[in-house]
Amino acid sequence: MSTVESAAAPASAAAPAPGRKGRAAAAERLSSVDYAWLRMDEPANLMQINGVLVLDRPVAVERVKAIVRRRLLPIPRFRQRVVAGAGGPPRWEEDRDFDLDRHVLAAALPDPGDDAALAALVGELMSTPLAADRPLWEFRLLQPYRGGCALLARIHHAIGDGVALMLVLLSLTDLQPSGPPTVEPRPDELLAPDEPEVPEPPETELPDLSGEPGEGVAASAGAGPAPNPFTELFSHPLHDLARIRALADEVSPELMRLLHAPVEALRRSRLLTGIGGAGAFGRLVGRPADPQTPFKGPLGVPKLVAWSEPLALAEVKEVGRALGGTVNDVLVAAATGALRRYLSRRAAPPRRLDVRAAMPVNLRPLGRMSQLGNHFGLVFLSLPLGIADPLARLAELRRRSLALRRSAEPVVVYAILRALGRVPLAVQRLVVKIFATKATLVMTNVPGPRRTLYLAGTPIRDIFFWVPQSGRVGLGVSILSYDGSVRLGLGTDAGLVPDPQAVIAGFEEEFAELLRLARRPAAG
């Protein structure tokens, strides 16, 4: 029997599904974008976001269930399943047979409970679809893992995009071991219906992970435990949003800047969306397919995952200051060098080899985050795999990233996704197939909390995740900062890249080389 099938059986009676004031949430149609993501599911590419919280000590699964029941279940989407519509799009509908024991499971990690055991299980689950007749999410508490335990979250992309689901996971955590005062979640309130759904395009500079510690609200709060701002975001999204933002700025200021960008973009002229959007659409459609490399090809069901050792954020900043570039430029340069090293094991890459990374860009302001769903676009960054010199590669990536600022591409891609949710499935699959030829990988970069967080009174040692791909894209790179360090997570199709740890090793070697170059004495 596989590890997936041997997860611990439910240990208690079905948990009630708390709605607002005890009422079930009203059924609602899937948005066209969320419907598009739901229909992108294929056996060889499941649209599931997978993330892991690593805890310092073992934790009882009943404690995790209690936290999920109190903080997650009041959010309607986590009690709703997808029900087929009568001749139209499906709808979110309350699961009247909801059973928390089917969504929060305990499983023994095979001996010796190390990284290899966790990677094998995560890879297996990445190939395993979520039950379609239940709400599309699942947590698995895996232990023992390196002296503690790992909480694996599996959430379907139809529920929300990566930024929204990261905030959902963070809402389960505490700022202190004792936890914050509890609040009554009230996530059902919406913004005014006349507010624009899609903001004008923000500058598409990748989020910077380099925020410095500062003094703020949480540091000067009273003697009681400070409330978790991410829990507050889903509890009282329209009540005292400024206070929630100030608290969240203390925990993850870079993530808050990322969420505030669409609000700033709303103040700009609409000319960029009109004129720039037409040009961006033309460039997207007319862009040639990415070259054939070992990273592209037919996909199979088996998936593999790997992740890097943590890099000290201070050292990443040091490289950026010395060599020129943002934290993101440095990390993307190291990842690009890792892909080049992997190809070089077979043959030297051509001097002009570029492959594109599809990179998500948030288009949703903070005040809309509690509504979940998908509100992001994409930019396509060309990675110069043909450049052998790491300094020249970093400089070129910096130039290309700067050129993507103020691009209308994210809004155009979002508009295409909305349209895909309204056309026949065959048409959607054709369009997804066409656009998948224009990229080799998906790369996402999420700035996480800069301080230690706690779950069930236990310190969270690490956080890492794996982004889903779509169409014929079989390579996903996920970068996340947490508590002074940065990790890279890699998800691959087993038939294309059967040894993802080799790419991870290349990433670590590339960063070590950049750090060496940054620290070399200046020429006299």
Side-chain angles (χ1 to χ4, degrees):
M1 179 179 291
S2 72
T3 307
V4 173
E5 294 168 332
S6 61
S12 63
R20 189 178 174 191
K21 296 182 180 178
R23 293 178 295 171
E28 58 180 300
R29 292 175 58 179
L30 268 73
S31 74
S32 57
V33 177
D34 298 342
Y35 188 30
W37 281 106
L38 182 70
R39 297 199 303 185
M40 284 187 208
D41 253 350
E42 297 179 4
N45 239 344
L46 298 175
M47 296 298 100
Q48 296 168 184
I49 301 172
N50 299 270
V52 168
L53 304 180
V54 179
L55 307 183
D56 262 349
R57 299 187 300 271
V59 171
V61 69
E62 295 304 325
R63 291 199 66 183
V64 177
K65 289 178 184 177
I67 294 169
V68 169
R69 184 181 293 109
R70 185 172 67 248
R71 300 193 190 180
L72 193 67
L73 295 192
I75 302 173
R77 201 62 83 234
F78 289 89
R79 312 185 310 268
Q80 295 172 322
R81 63 191 183 103
V82 176
V83 178
R91 62 187 185 275
W92 297 106
E93 188 175 280
E94 193 87 13
D95 180 7
R96 300 194 179 279
D97 296 321
F98 183 87
D99 183 349
L100 184 59
D101 291 331
R102 298 192 298 189
H103 292 268
V104 181
L105 309 169
L109 199 60
D111 290 336
D114 57 3
D115 287 347
L118 180 61
L121 179 57
V122 173
E124 187 177 355
L125 288 169
M126 283 182 69
S127 310
T128 306
L130 294 160
D133 60 344
R134 306 173 189 168
L136 296 173
W137 63 276
E138 177 187 273
F139 290 167
R140 289 184 183 243
L141 185 63
L142 309 172
Q143 46 194 357
Y145 172 62
R146 300 184 66 172
C149 61
L151 183 65
L152 170 64
R154 306 172 62 218
I155 304 176
H156 199 283
H157 216 313
I159 292 180
D161 54 43
V163 171
L165 296 181
M166 173 60 66
L167 292 176
V168 167
L169 289 181
L170 294 179
S171 74
L172 302 176
T173 68
D174 299 315
L175 307 185
Q176 300 91 13
S178 58
T182 58
V183 294
E184 180 188 356
R186 294 185 295 176
D188 293 325
E189 299 175 51
L190 305 176
L191 291 183
D194 57 348
E195 289 206 23
E197 181 175 358
V198 184
E200 295 180 34
E203 294 187 6
T204 56
E205 182 178 18
L206 301 178
D208 196 352
L209 306 179
S210 58
E212 298 290 344
E215 298 178 358
V217 176
S220 59
N228 180 339
F230 304 109
T231 301
E232 292 276 288
L233 178 61
F234 291 100
S235 305
H236 309 285
L238 301 182
H239 297 268
D240 208 0
L241 188 62
R243 184 180 68 87
I244 294 174
R245 180 180 291 115
L247 285 168
D249 275 340
E250 278 296 304
V251 180
S252 186
E254 297 79 28
L255 184 55
M256 290 305 103
R257 282 200 294 270
L258 176 66
L259 296 177
H260 191 56
V263 178
E264 294 298 321
L266 284 170
R267 300 174 183 151
R268 301 193 188 121
S269 168
R270 295 187 178 274
L271 286 176
L272 185 59
T273 304
I275 301 173
F281 180 78
R283 287 190 296 273
L284 280 170
V285 174
R287 186 170 286 153
D290 251 11
Q292 285 299 317
T293 67
F295 302 125
K296 290 187 74 70
L299 304 182
V301 172
K303 305 300 176 189
L304 297 171
V305 302
W307 55 92
S308 72
E309 290 297 316
L311 304 180
L313 190 54
E315 292 184 344
V316 181
K317 297 177 190 176
E318 179 185 347
V319 172
R321 287 192 298 266
L323 303 183
T326 66
V327 167
N328 305 283
D329 294 331
V330 172
L331 295 171
V332 173
T336 302
L339 298 178
R340 175 185 169 82
R341 284 177 182 250
Y342 190 85
L343 294 181
S344 297
R345 301 191 312 174
R346 302 186 181 190
R351 293 181 58 185
R352 295 191 176 183
L353 177 62
D354 287 352
V355 300
R356 297 187 196 94
M359 310 184 80
V361 176
N362 178 59
L363 294 176
R364 171 172 36 199
L366 184 63
R368 283 188 177 274
M369 195 57 64
S370 65
Q371 299 175 34
L372 297 178
N374 291 274
H375 294 262
F376 70 95
L378 297 170
V379 292
F380 292 81
L381 176 64
S382 290
L383 307 181
L385 269 61
I387 298 180
D389 178 55
L391 295 181
R393 190 187 310 125
L394 173 61
E396 180 61 16
L397 277 168
R398 173 65 173 165
R399 185 189 69 78
R400 295 180 184 187
S401 295
L402 286 171
L404 285 177
R405 291 187 183 185
R406 302 184 66 86
S407 168
E409 235 174 51
V411 171
V412 171
V413 172
Y414 180 73
I416 292 172
L417 286 169
R418 292 181 67 189
L420 289 182
R422 300 187 179 108
V423 300
L425 178 58
V427 175
Q428 173 175 324
R429 286 178 173 167
L430 177 62
V431 174
V432 169
K433 181 179 179 180
I434 291 172
F435 275 92
T437 66
K438 302 178 186 298
T440 294
L441 66 149
V442 175
M443 179 182 287
T444 187
N445 200 337
V446 179
R450 65 182 182 186
R451 59 185 288 180
T452 300
L453 299 179
Y454 300 83
L455 180 71
T458 302
I460 298 174
R461 184 193 309 159
D462 278 314
I463 306 176
F464 38 95
F465 74 109
W466 299 272
V467 62
Q469 298 86 57
S470 62
R472 292 188 290 177
V473 178
L475 186 64
V477 175
S478 309
I479 300 172
L480 175 69
S481 67
Y482 172 66
D483 198 18
S485 64
V486 185
R487 279 192 189 265
L488 181 142
L490 181 67
T492 71
D493 183 90
L496 297 179
V497 181
D499 49 352
Q501 196 57 50
V503 180
I504 294 296
F507 172 76
E508 293 169 348
E509 291 164 2
E510 283 290 327
F511 178 74
E513 175 64 10
L514 289 171
L515 185 60
R516 184 191 68 79
L517 292 171
R519 290 176 172 176
R520 65 182 176 179

